[in-house]
């Protein structure tokens, strides 16, 4: 059984920064392609960023390009999402997800929800 746990959410003013972290247990972290997703009430969950198992490929949804950075440290079994210059429209519940299958390679779709393991999410609120 693989467990995914996010941390690092909170309340921040517009223009501020937050750093989300994600760890997994019960599986081989270094084999997982990882994704960050977000969802607001009444809206479809969307992909925000992804990173391949070895960190050699990352993708971002257009709305966060240049502001968010995804990274991973396989030795520490952690994936992070550094979020800078946050905007009120970034307010959402952020989820980390993992899959041992092909994901985040040449192309990326924020609508691709084909992940095997999901965390429960962490709330990010950006005030104006």
């Amino acid at each position: 059984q693989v467990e995914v746990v996010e941390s690092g959410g909170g309340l921040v003013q517009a223009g501020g920064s937050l750093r989300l972290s994600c760890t997994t247990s019960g599986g081989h972290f270094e084999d997982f392609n990882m994704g960050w997703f977000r969802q607001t009430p009444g809206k479809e969950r969307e992909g925000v960023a992804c990173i391949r198992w070895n960190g050699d490929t990352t993708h971002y949804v257009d709305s966060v390009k240049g502001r968010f950075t995804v990274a991973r440290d396989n030795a520490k079994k952690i994936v992070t999402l550094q979020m800078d210059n946050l905007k009120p429209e970034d307010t959402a519940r952020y989820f980390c997800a993992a899959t041992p299958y092909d994901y985040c390679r040449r192309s990326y779709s924020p609508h691709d929800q084909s992940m095997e393991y999901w965390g429960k999410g962490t709330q990010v609120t950006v005030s104006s």
Side-chain angles (χ1 to χ4, degrees):
Q1 183 74 12
V2 175
E3 185 179 17
V4 179
V5 179
E6 307 94 338
S7 61
L11 173 65
V12 65
Q13 287 189 330
S17 298
L18 279 175
R19 185 184 183 94
L20 305 183
S21 296
C22 172
T23 60
T24 69
S25 61
H28 296 283
F29 179 84
E30 61 273 17
D31 292 338
F32 291 146
N33 297 309
M34 305 294 293
W36 285 98
F37 300 77
R38 64 186 180 187
Q39 187 172 27
T40 54
K43 289 191 175 182
E44 179 184 312
R45 185 169 55 192
E46 68 166 354
V48 175
C50 69
I51 186 166
R52 283 189 61 78
W53 63 275
N54 60 358
D56 69 346
T57 302
T58 59
H59 291 292
Y60 302 88
V61 67
D62 286 346
S63 59
V64 308
K65 284 180 180 177
R67 300 188 298 120
F68 289 14
T69 304
V70 61
R72 68 187 295 158
D73 184 332
N74 284 352
K76 296 181 179 178
K77 298 185 178 182
I78 188 169
V79 172
T80 58
L81 184 68
Q82 177 67 39
M83 305 185 295
D84 298 318
N85 190 21
L86 282 160
K87 303 176 180 181
E89 51 264 42
D90 294 318
T91 294
R93 190 162 187 85
Y94 283 71
F95 298 87
C96 179
T99 180
Y101 304 115
D102 190 36
Y103 175 71
C104 192
R105 208 194 303 207
R106 293 185 187 86
S107 61
Y108 174 65
S109 169
H111 304 293
D112 185 351
Q113 308 282 308
S114 58
M115 308 301 283
E116 291 295 304
Y117 312 108
W118 291 85
K120 295 180 179 179
T122 184
Q123 180 67 33
V124 171
T125 303
V126 185
S127 63
S128 57

